[in-house]
């Protein structure tokens, strides 16, 4: 049983600014403020700032709940790969003897840099199609490359990126440097044969601020102009920041702008579409996608995403369509406004150590998201920056912006 004197002793002045997580049993869903989810084990996790620990303990007691463990938020939360605390271990050992323990699943090693820029793999484009409907802004294409002739074959897992080395030379006469692209397919590839990789690429186009010339990005233009049969120099895979947790019951919050949808397409296809192909992964958590785009015609993978929402109760999606929807102040609806609308619910979800948050897309989108979540955290006297750092330490906060 948890020894409360340890957490409350006066020698703990070092904890002043810290957050703690109570694991509580005996609360009903109605008695927990707002929507902290009651887990199947019957316990609930509540984050409490140091200066409110006594008060929260009294509140829990008055609701008939019992605190069964207290841990600092910041590394010690029960995680998928962490060792349980001794008292939890004892409890779980008891449980295991009553029920059949699940067989241990084989964990796939994360492949990294199978191919490097000096010796890239040259794969053929097998398919390329438009993702922006008529009337939308800009060009964005989905493209697939055949990996089957690789020796070794380039393998990857959801959340990784590959490098593309565009042909030709830069203005200094040197070969172009590689550009990274988030992988938009699952490890099985779009045709489920484990031999392709797909990307979602926006063609970079802008007006040179000095000359006023129309400029097209080197690599994104090369990729968007590909035809099936064309060769592409590929490196990687790289990246461990955006990997999905192994837990099938993890909750996954995804916040994307534009092509930031790419890794989330891979996650969602793995969670909801591939079924039999993933006997080791039967997703049962809750996932929630926030997707920021300028116009309806720019909703990448729209039909498939909406079909997935309609078929899966545990997948929810909210768009922020900046040029069509208005925020509460009458301005354009950007992703941070949509997050602000749901900030309390997101905050409560994040209290659960099984909730992971992923942000991908435009550089600079984090600021508005932080602002929205700060307001929700402040209602609980929690400093959002500290909380976010704790989540990062627990590998529950993942950002890839560019
Ligand atoms: C981890 C990671 C994942 C990525 N995933 C994707 C993805 O899934 N899909 C995708 O489309 N992209 C993705 N990118 C971006 C991609 O790597 C390239 O940066 C992008 O395609 C542009 O490359 P380019 O060669 O076309 O442009 P370049 O020819 O390299 O031109 C880019 C340069 O143009 C200049 N520039 C750009 N915009 C402006 C402007 N408005 N005004 C003035 N100058 C400007 C800047 O100097 C910039 O560095 C990702 C990047 C990273 C780091």
């Amino acid at each position: 049983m948890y020894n409360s004197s340890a957490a409350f002793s006066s020698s703990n002045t070092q904890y002043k600014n810290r957050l703690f997580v109570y694991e509580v049993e005996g609360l009903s869903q109605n008695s927990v403020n707002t929507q902290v989810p009651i887990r199947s084990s019957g316990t609930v996790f509540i984050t409490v700032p140091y200066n409110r620990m006594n008060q929260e303990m009294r509140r829990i007691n008055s609701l008939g709940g019992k605190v069964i463990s207290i841990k600092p938020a910041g590394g010690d939360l029960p995680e998928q790969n962490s060792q349980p605390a001794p008292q939890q271990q004892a409890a779980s050992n008891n449980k295991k003897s009553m029920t059949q323990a699940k067989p241990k699943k084989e964990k796939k090693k994360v492949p990294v840099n199978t191919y490097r820029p000096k010796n890239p793999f040259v794969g053929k484009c097998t398919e390329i199609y438009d993702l922006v409907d008529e009337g939308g802004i800009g060009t964005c294409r989905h493209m697939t490359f055949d990996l089957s002739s690789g020796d070794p074959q380039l393998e990857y897992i959801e959340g990784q990126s590959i490098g593309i080395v565009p042909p030709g030379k830069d203005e200094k006469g040197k070969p172009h440097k590689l550009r990274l692209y988030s992988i938009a397919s699952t490890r099985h590839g779009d045709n489920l044969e484990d031999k392709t990789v797909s990307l979602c690429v926006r063609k970079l186009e802008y007006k040179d601020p000095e000359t006023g010339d129309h400029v097209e990005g080197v690599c994104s233009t090369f990729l968007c102009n590909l035809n099936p049969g064309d060769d592409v120099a590929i490196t990687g895979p790289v990246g461990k920041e955006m990997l999905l947790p192994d837990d099938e019951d993890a909750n996954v919050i995804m916040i994307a702008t534009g092509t930031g949808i790419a890794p989330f397409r891979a996650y969602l296809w793995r969670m909801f579409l591939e079924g039999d192909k993933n006997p080791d992964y039967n997703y049962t958590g809750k996932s929630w996608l926030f997707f920021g785009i300028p116009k309806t015609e720019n909703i990448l993978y729209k039909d498939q995403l909406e079909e997935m929402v309609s078929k899966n109760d545990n997948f929810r999606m909210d768009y922020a369509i900046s040029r069509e929807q208005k925020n509460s102040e009458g301005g354009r609806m950007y992703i941070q406004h949509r997050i602000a609308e749901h900030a309390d619910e997101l905050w409560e979800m994040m209290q659960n150590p099984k909730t992971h948050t992923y942000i991908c897309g435009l550089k600079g989108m984090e600021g508005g998201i932080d602002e929205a979540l700060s307001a929700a955290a402040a209602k609980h006297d929690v400093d959002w920056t500290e909380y976010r750092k704790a989540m990062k330490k627990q590998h529950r906060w993942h950002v890839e912006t560019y």
Side-chain angles (χ1 to χ4, degrees):
M1 178 55 196
Y2 163 70
N3 172 5
S4 63
S5 64
F8 292 107
S9 84
S10 59
S11 66
N12 280 349
T13 47
Q14 54 179 324
Y15 291 138
K16 243 182 176 162
N17 298 320
R18 298 204 44 198
L19 302 172
F20 292 83
V21 177
Y22 289 2
E23 185 175 8
V24 181
E25 67 180 12
L27 290 182
S28 68
Q29 189 69 65
N30 291 342
S31 63
V32 185
N33 66 347
T34 63
Q35 293 172 27
V36 181
I38 306 275
R39 302 183 326 144
S40 53
S41 65
T43 65
V44 65
F45 292 99
I46 298 177
T47 304
V48 188
Y50 175 80
N51 61 359
R52 284 189 43 181
M53 289 177 85
N54 282 325
Q55 193 186 336
E56 189 62 13
M57 183 76 85
R58 282 196 295 273
R59 188 181 78 88
I60 290 164
N61 285 340
S62 72
L63 292 169
K66 193 163 110 191
V67 176
I68 56 171
S69 76
I70 299 182
K71 288 169 183 264
D76 286 331
L77 280 174
E79 273 182 49
Q80 45 177 338
N81 296 325
S82 65
Q83 289 294 320
Q87 68 271 34
Q88 287 178 323
Q89 183 72 69
S92 77
N93 284 348
N94 284 343
K95 266 185 220 153
K96 267 186 203 151
S97 61
M98 317 245 289
T99 57
Q100 186 65 37
K102 270 192 177 178
K104 207 168 163 42
K105 296 191 170 175
E106 201 185 307
K107 205 173 163 190
K108 187 170 166 78
K109 200 168 164 269
V110 182
V112 180
N113 279 324
T114 312
Y115 287 91
R116 294 177 184 272
K118 283 203 172 131
N119 189 18
F121 166 69
V122 178
K124 284 208 185 302
C125 173
T126 56
E127 187 182 30
I128 177 160
Y129 57 83
D130 278 322
L131 291 169
V132 177
D133 282 344
E134 218 178 309
I137 298 166
T139 303
C140 187
R141 299 212 161 112
H142 181 83
M143 57 202 70
T144 300
F145 308 121
D146 179 14
L147 303 173
S148 63
S149 63
D151 184 15
Q153 188 182 306
L154 189 153
E155 293 185 345
Y156 60 90
I157 58 174
E158 301 75 20
Q160 292 195 283
S161 299
I162 52 170
I164 301 290
V165 189
K169 304 222 160 122
D170 64 18
E171 59 225 359
K172 291 182 192 150
K174 295 202 166 144
H176 283 299
K177 293 212 164 70
L178 70 84
R179 270 69 161 175
L180 290 176
Y181 292 90
S182 309
I183 295 173
S185 48
T186 73
R187 63 190 73 186
H188 302 304
D190 283 359
N191 62 4
L192 298 181
E193 287 180 3
D194 295 22
K195 285 176 186 151
T196 62
V197 64
S198 299
L199 302 179
C200 164
V201 179
R202 183 180 81 90
K203 179 173 164 182
L204 173 67
E205 292 177 272
Y206 63 91
K207 206 181 228 184
D208 186 299
E210 280 169 21
T211 63
D213 289 347
H214 175 84
V215 184
E216 295 186 342
V218 172
C219 192
S220 58
T221 304
F222 160 70
L223 287 171
C224 286
N225 288 346
L226 285 173
N227 289 303
D230 288 347
D231 284 338
V232 180
I234 301 173
T235 67
V238 295
K240 293 187 175 175
E241 171 66 21
M242 297 289 282
L243 304 184
L244 264 181
D246 294 327
D247 303 24
E248 296 164 328
D249 59 347
N251 300 316
V252 178
I253 298 168
M254 295 160 275
I255 306 175
T257 51
T259 53
I261 193 69
F264 304 146
R265 177 185 186 266
Y267 300 175
L268 293 165
W269 264 232
R270 178 162 170 80
M271 290 168 176
F272 299 115
L273 275 187
E274 292 185 338
D276 297 348
K277 194 70 190 165
N278 297 311
D280 262 4
Y281 185 73
N282 175 24
Y283 183 69
T284 56
K286 291 198 173 77
S287 62
W288 191 355
L289 170 66
F290 290 87
F291 193 7
I293 45 309
K295 295 174 78 177
T296 299
E297 293 81 356
N298 286 85
I299 302 175
L300 314 173
Y301 309 107
K302 181 172 182 288
D303 293 348
Q304 293 141 312
L305 289 171
E306 289 176 6
E307 191 182 342
M308 247 183 266
V309 170
S310 71
K311 288 189 174 159
N312 297 282
D313 291 344
N314 55 342
F315 174 38
R316 177 171 172 184
M317 178 167 67
D318 285 279
Y319 296 130
I321 311 179
S322 61
R323 300 197 186 186
E324 295 172 12
Q325 299 172 329
K326 296 257 179 283
N327 65 36
S328 57
E329 281 154 21
R332 285 183 172 181
M333 171 65 81
Y334 290 111
I335 193 100
Q336 65 268 26
H337 302 117
R338 197 56 89 200
I339 297 293
E341 275 180 11
H342 298 281
D344 291 337
E345 209 176 332
L346 288 168
W347 167 253
E348 299 295 0
M349 255 181 103
M350 287 173 191
Q351 306 310 293
N352 184 336
K354 285 201 174 284
T355 299
H356 291 244
T357 303
Y358 295 83
I359 297 177
C360 190
L362 284 182
K363 215 174 200 77
M365 66 189 276
E366 300 108 288
I369 293 168
D370 276 338
E371 215 173 288
L373 293 169
S374 292
K379 291 183 192 166
H380 303 266
D381 281 349
V382 174
D383 178 284
W384 167 250
T385 310
E386 288 302 314
Y387 193 77
R388 192 193 59 214
K389 279 187 200 157
M391 286 208 292
K392 175 94 190 144
K393 225 170 149 188
Q394 295 154 19
H395 309 291
R396 300 200 295 127
W397 183 260
H398 313 260
V399 179
E400 193 155 271
T401 53
Y402 44 84

